[in-house]
Amino acid sequence: MPKIVGWPGTQGQFPRPALFLTGAQSQYVRPEQRETIRALFPKARFAKIPGAGHWLHAEAPGPFIEAVAAFLAS
């Protein structure tokens, strides 16, 4: 399990905008990981869907679609 949920030893960067969208009830993307994420994704944006857990697309499809659409339009 640690290999599945652990952070890979990734090299390089993705220089384009990237959205890290999580459910507010999920602990999969934690604040202390943001520095590492930003090192790999310098233009990372972070957003949370209130009231949703890990399956935010199923638990809050409307807010999920709105957040993704706003990111893609920007």
Side-chain angles (χ1 to χ4, degrees):
M1 191 65 175
K3 288 182 181 180
I4 293 172
V5 299
W7 190 265
T10 306
Q11 300 295 316
Q13 287 185 340
F14 181 73
R16 312 243 355 221
L19 177 63
F20 284 76
L21 184 61
T22 59
Q25 305 302 318
S26 175
Q27 298 299 315
Y28 280 94
V29 179
R30 296 185 305 273
E32 62 269 18
Q33 296 169 324
R34 287 188 178 196
E35 182 178 329
T36 302
I37 291 170
R38 285 203 189 277
L40 298 170
F41 301 89
K43 294 183 180 178
R45 291 190 204 167
F46 298 89
K48 291 188 183 230
I49 302 292
H54 180 63
W55 298 101
L56 58 144
H57 60 287
E59 296 170 11
F64 173 81
I65 291 169
E66 289 173 13
V68 172
F71 172 75
L72 293 174
S74 66

